[in-house]
């Protein structure tokens, strides 16, 4: 029981920290490479939080995956300056994340 409680608490903590880092990255110098790097770090923290929470197929998990996907889309769009490349990379990353969360 303690391991499950730790995983849940760490998952919630990671989600909160990831959201704060994402919001800070978007507000601080929007559209710059530094902002995109901070958003990427926040998205990775959010993905780790989702993995620790092990949510079933509910809207909370899909909302978290959407936020991670948007963060990846933002980072790769700023990095490459091509929307279609950013969409493809974000979709592949989200599909891998969904597969990993579903078969965990």
């Amino acid at each position: 029981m303690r391991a499950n409680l730790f995983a849940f608490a760490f998952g919630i903590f990671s989600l909160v920290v990831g959201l704060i880092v994402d919001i800070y990255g978007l507000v601080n110098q929007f559209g710059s490479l530094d902002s995109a790097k901070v958003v990427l770090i926040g998205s990775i923290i959010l993905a780790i939080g989702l993995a620790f929470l092990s949510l079933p197929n509910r809207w909370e998990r899909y909302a978290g995956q959407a936020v991670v996907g948007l963060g990846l889309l933002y980072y790769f769009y700023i990095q490459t300056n091509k929307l279609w490349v950013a969409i493809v990379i974000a979709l592949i990353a989200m599909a891998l994340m969904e597969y990993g969360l579903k078969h965990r």
Side-chain angles (χ1 to χ4, degrees):
M1 180 65 181
R2 287 185 181 195
N4 290 339
L5 186 61
F6 171 76
F8 181 76
F10 185 75
I12 294 295
F13 175 74
S14 295
L15 288 179
V16 170
V17 169
L19 282 175
I20 291 170
V21 170
D22 271 348
I23 291 170
Y24 174 76
L26 285 175
V27 172
N28 187 24
Q29 300 177 358
F30 181 79
S32 69
L33 188 58
D34 291 334
S35 170
K37 287 178 184 177
V38 173
V39 169
L40 178 67
I41 291 169
S43 295
I44 291 171
I45 294 171
L46 275 170
I48 291 169
L50 285 173
F52 271 91
L53 279 180
S54 299
L55 294 173
N57 293 337
R58 297 189 338 197
W59 68 271
E60 293 95 354
R61 185 172 105 190
Y62 295 128
Q65 285 179 337
V67 171
V68 170
L70 288 174
L72 292 174
L73 181 72
Y74 175 72
Y75 173 76
F76 285 108
Y77 177 69
I78 297 297
Q79 188 74 17
T80 63
N81 212 15
K82 294 181 178 147
L83 185 60
W84 67 274
V85 172
I87 290 173
V88 168
I89 293 172
L91 285 177
I92 290 171
M94 286 179 58
L96 287 172
M97 187 171 53
E98 173 63 26
Y99 179 80
L101 290 175
K102 188 179 285 187
H103 295 289
R104 179 169 187 246

